[in-house]
Amino acid sequence: MDTIVLSHIHKNIKGKEILKDVNLEIKGSIGLLGPNGAGKTTLMRILTTLIDPSSGTIRAGQLLWENKTEVREHIGYLPQHFSMYKNMTIMECLNHLALLKGIDKGIRQDVIHSTLEEVNLLNVQSNKIRQLSGGMLRRVGIAQALLGNPKLLVVDEPTVGLDIEERVRFRSLLRKLGKNRNIVISTHIVEDIETTCDQICILKNGKVIKFGTKTEILSLVRGKVAEKSFLLDQVDLDSLRVISTKESGDKYIVRYFTTKGEDEYIVEPSLEDAYLYFIQEEKEI
Ligand SMILES: Nc1ncnc2c1ncn2[C@@H]1O[C@H](COP(=O)(O)OP(=O)(O)O)[C@@H](O)[C@H]1O
Ligand SMILES: [Mg+2]
């Protein structure tokens, strides 16, 4: 698929500006990172043609997003709140959805089989939806999004509500899926996309505030993150822009943003640090 180019996307809902001049190029795996209310779901619904932007264009080569039916053939979508008919089995659900997607009867069983294999649900295909754990249900959601082998997979907040083990497993599934197709994953949790996505787009208040590779984003905060240990009774957290604190014996290890070039305390920034830095920076403008 050609690079998907979003140009000057604006979205107003009930007089409120939800997306403000979003410009983005989608190729490979992209992590859309932002706090709740940033506009991630709205952007994904526009990208998947479920809603129209108030203004702006989306295209991939000759393919224009006004041609919804054609665009939809290329997109698989796992919405934030995915659910299915509780009394159906996984197999029945996928059969039903494959039919709706217009997948030929002759190949339908093969397509479903290989999709279930890909998301590791083959051995539970006869289980009813109501019996599934959160992680399994999310994998059914991925399976339905993969039917028809879309060139772009769009996944909204994939790990919300999953327990730690399910989260880890689901991330590794997304990583695998992102290797051979375009994928956009939205989340407010850095770890969800840290090892999965080539590029990261930070969204805040409906605006793209940073877009680049992980290396590029990290390089922007290098030299700004420091770590220092203080005696418990000597630490004055109010004077520091604190990222995190750890207690260690009679000491506090404080990780913070520094502006003072304290070379001996500078540490390598993490993506989590960078995210926090830009989200806070934007707040102060
Ligand atoms: N249909 C709607 N009506 C009113 N407000 C909406 C609607 N959809 C989204 N919003 C508002 O737009 C903002 C962004 O929402 P959303 O795209 O869901 O953000 P995110 O997915 O990043 O949490 C929020 O303030 C939300 O309340
Ligand atoms: Mg959302």
Side-chain angles (χ1 to χ4, degrees), residues 261-277:
E262 302 170 286
D263 285 353
E264 67 269 43
Y265 302 118
I266 297 291
V267 293
E268 190 57 23
S270 67
L271 197 58
E272 180 91 40
D273 297 331
Y275 175 52
L276 195 64
Y277 185 84

Side-chain angles (χ1 to χ4, degrees), residues 41 80 156-157:
T41 297
Q80 196 168 339
D156 199 357
E157 301 268 4

Side-chain angles (χ1 to χ4, degrees), residues 184-196:
V184 181
I185 302 169
S186 90
T187 184
H188 61 280
I189 302 161
V190 175
E191 277 174 293
D192 281 351
I193 53 163
E194 189 153 22
T195 57
T196 305

Side-chain angles (χ1 to χ4, degrees), residues 6 10 27 32 43 58 72 97 100 166 206-207 209 240:
L6 289 82
H10 289 260
K27 181 97 195 157
L32 188 59
L43 186 56
I58 308 182
R72 282 177 193 173
L97 293 168
L100 291 181
E166 288 179 325
K207 277 190 291 195
I209 56 173
L240 297 171

Side-chain angles (χ1 to χ4, degrees), residues 75-91:
I75 296 180
Y77 178 42
L78 174 57
Q80 196 168 339
H81 303 288
F82 172 77
S83 67
M84 279 304 306
Y85 315 101
K86 301 275 184 283
N87 278 322
M88 276 189 172
T89 65
I90 293 179
M91 189 46 132

